[in-house]
Amino acid sequence: MHWTEDQRRFQRLVEALSGRVDPQAEAEMGAPLDPRLADSLVDVMAGEEPLGLDTLCANVFDYRVRLTGEEYATITDLADRGDLGVRVIDGLNELVIPDEASECS
């Protein structure tokens, strides 16, 4: 595995997701999402990639963060590379924003 490359991909993913929480979900959770995303990045940078990705996915799901197709693909690729499989990404596909280009065809 090339975790240096994957760590950068994970960092870009966290940066992209930061600030995109569903306000109602954040109120229901009783805590802001961004510090939780930051915690997952700290785990990944410390060499705990599976833990960081698991934390990110759980929080994305709990906070109902909408994902682009590219973000979802990045998550699934990182899960595959880390041999984490379906358990980590289960349910995230329902958060993917439909691609406008595919809707028009």
Side-chain angles (χ1 to χ4, degrees):
M1 280 194 259
H2 302 288
W3 282 114
T4 302
E5 173 191 338
D6 288 345
Q7 286 173 333
R8 283 187 289 234
R9 291 175 67 205
F10 192 90
Q11 181 177 11
R12 287 191 301 270
L13 180 63
V14 166
E15 289 168 356
L17 297 175
S18 180
R20 289 198 358 226
V21 67
D22 176 304
Q24 182 178 350
E26 193 167 63
E28 290 170 7
M29 294 300 291
L33 172 64
D34 287 353
R36 293 176 185 223
L37 292 176
D39 288 346
S40 69
L41 182 58
V42 168
D43 291 336
V44 167
M45 294 304 181
E48 296 291 334
E49 293 86 0
L51 176 61
L53 186 59
D54 187 62
T55 300
L56 178 122
C57 290
N59 284 306
V60 164
F61 187 78
D62 290 344
Y63 283 83
R64 298 189 295 270
V65 178
R66 302 297 296 188
L67 300 169
T68 66
E70 183 179 337
E71 291 163 349
Y72 180 72
T74 298
I75 290 169
T76 57
D77 184 55
L78 290 171
D80 287 345
R81 286 171 163 248
D83 199 29
L84 300 178
V86 174
R87 177 187 60 79
V88 171
I89 58 172
D90 190 34
L92 292 183
N93 59 338
E94 69 187 49
L95 297 172
V96 176
I97 301 164
D99 181 12
E100 292 179 23
S102 65
E103 287 180 348
C104 295
S105 44

